[in-house]
Every structure is written in C-alpha cells, then in structure tokens.
Amino acid sequence: MHWDALGGRSDLMPEDNKMHELVALRTALGFTQSRMAHEIELNLRDYQSFEWGENEIPDLYLRAIERIAMLYAVRHKNPMLVPPALRAEAIQFARMVEAGV
C-alpha cells in the first residue's frame, strides 16, 4: 500500500489534505477508527471529528500517526506502510547514521 497523491508532508498543509492524509494513513495500516483513536489516546468521537472535517486536525496528531506507521512498518517488515515523504526522510537519516554523521 502507498500514498501516491499524498507524498508530500507540510505543516502548512490545507485542512482538507490533512483530513485525507489521516484517512489514508489509517486505512493503509488496516486500522479501524476506533483502533486509531485508541493508538493516539483520543475518544472515538473526537477522532471521527477530524476525519469528517468537523474539527481541525492538530499537526501533532498527524506526526504521531506517522510515527505509529513507522513502528508498524518495522514490526511487519513492510516499508510501504509509511508515507513516501516519511520513507525518504528515514532513508536519509539511515544513510547519515551509516556514514557516522
């Protein structure tokens, strides 16, 4: 699974794009809304309000979900569970670590 149309990350991302990214991340992980709400320590209704565009999604939650995606991808040995932009950042970081930077 991957996010072709959602490859870019930005803290200035329009709210509609953030909402779509949230849904794409959750569904790529195979999580229900209830499971994702639990993972980020929100009640279900508050989480749903983000997905449904009723409330603005704080970037903090998107970053937390990206981190969950990264951990889940490592556990399941499936890098495609991580959004492309985050995969690229992880590869850059790994190369820096290997080079001893």
Side-chain angles (χ1 to χ4, degrees), residues 60-90:
L60 174 67
Y61 287 112
L62 285 176
R63 302 299 79 88
I65 291 168
E66 288 173 345
R67 178 72 175 127
I68 290 165
M70 180 77 76
L71 291 171
Y72 201 73
V74 168
R75 286 186 188 138
H76 293 277
K77 297 180 180 5
N78 183 356
M80 299 311 289
L81 293 173
V82 178
L86 191 56
R87 278 197 313 267
E89 290 173 8

Side-chain angles (χ1 to χ4, degrees), residues 24-85:
L25 283 165
R26 178 182 60 76
T27 56
L29 292 169
F31 289 2
T32 62
Q33 288 180 334
S34 181
R35 166 101 186 260
M36 186 58 79
H38 174 77
E39 292 287 335
I40 59 174
E41 299 181 358
L42 279 177
N43 69 53
L44 176 59
R45 185 61 188 103
D46 286 344
Y47 177 81
Q48 288 172 331
S49 74
F50 295 153
E51 277 200 10
W52 297 344
E54 296 170 352
N55 287 311
E56 184 175 336
I57 306 162
D59 286 329
L60 174 67
Y61 287 112
L62 285 176
R63 302 299 79 88
I65 291 168
E66 288 173 345
R67 178 72 175 127
I68 290 165
M70 180 77 76
L71 291 171
Y72 201 73
V74 168
R75 286 186 188 138
H76 293 277
K77 297 180 180 5
N78 183 356
M80 299 311 289
L81 293 173
V82 178

